[in-house]
Amino acid sequence: MGPTRTLRLGLLGCLLLVPRLHGQDPAACAWGWVLFEDGCYGFFPRELSWRRAEAFCQRFGMESHLASVHSEEELQAIAALLASSRSGEDSQEDGDEGVWIGLHRPLGSRRWLWSDSSEVDYSSWHRQPGPRRRACAALRDTADFMTWYSDACADRKPFVCKSGI
């Protein structure tokens, strides 16, 4: 079985497991996903633009989007997931590649928004972006994923999805 077929079967398995997350066993997440409070988090090493990564996450259900972050504890849980998911890789090889999260500034807006429409009630900016800066947020690889930075939404990066349970 080739790597493409294996990837497709793995993704199909994730899609089939997601309905079990809604209403049945609140302590269970799909294989490879991590539970934190009211959500399951999955890391996807495939590099996509922010918009394509958001569309990919939405395939897991109505309550699935790129990850929103509402506390330091939630950010630590995501950082731990990323550290364990990437432990076999040399993530410093290409510099700060970053990992997409759901924070973005829509075209023509000065406000940052989460892709799941939740309130922006927590931030962990490395440097607060200026009004003309790039409009999508990523976790900084070189900061152990504990801070974020703005980058061009068209850049391709791995990403973290969040699915409500």
Side-chain angles (χ1 to χ4, degrees), residues 13-113:
C14 287
L15 290 172
L16 294 173
L17 288 174
V18 169
R20 295 188 63 205
L21 298 176
H22 299 283
Q24 289 185 2
D25 184 9
C29 293
W31 182 85
W33 290 55
V34 172
L35 176 68
F36 178 80
E37 291 182 357
D38 60 348
C40 292
Y41 299 81
F43 169 68
F44 296 88
R46 181 176 177 193
E47 295 183 3
L48 298 175
S49 68
W50 187 94
R51 183 183 311 262
R52 287 183 183 253
E54 171 63 13
F56 182 93
C57 292
Q58 288 178 358
R59 294 177 188 170
F60 292 103
M62 287 180 49
E63 294 183 34
S64 297
H65 295 273
L66 283 169
S68 56
V69 182
H70 300 284
S71 68
E72 184 174 354
E73 294 77 20
E74 186 172 21
L75 182 57
Q76 288 172 344
I78 293 169
L81 166 66
L82 293 172
S84 67
S85 296
R86 303 178 92 197
S87 62
E89 301 175 21
D90 183 7
S91 59
Q92 301 299 323
E93 188 175 281
D94 296 327
D96 188 7
E97 133 181 337
V99 175
W100 287 130
I101 55 175
L103 193 61
H104 70 291
R105 186 171 49 212
L107 191 62
S109 176
R110 293 186 168 271
R111 293 184 46 208
W112 286 87
L113 304 171

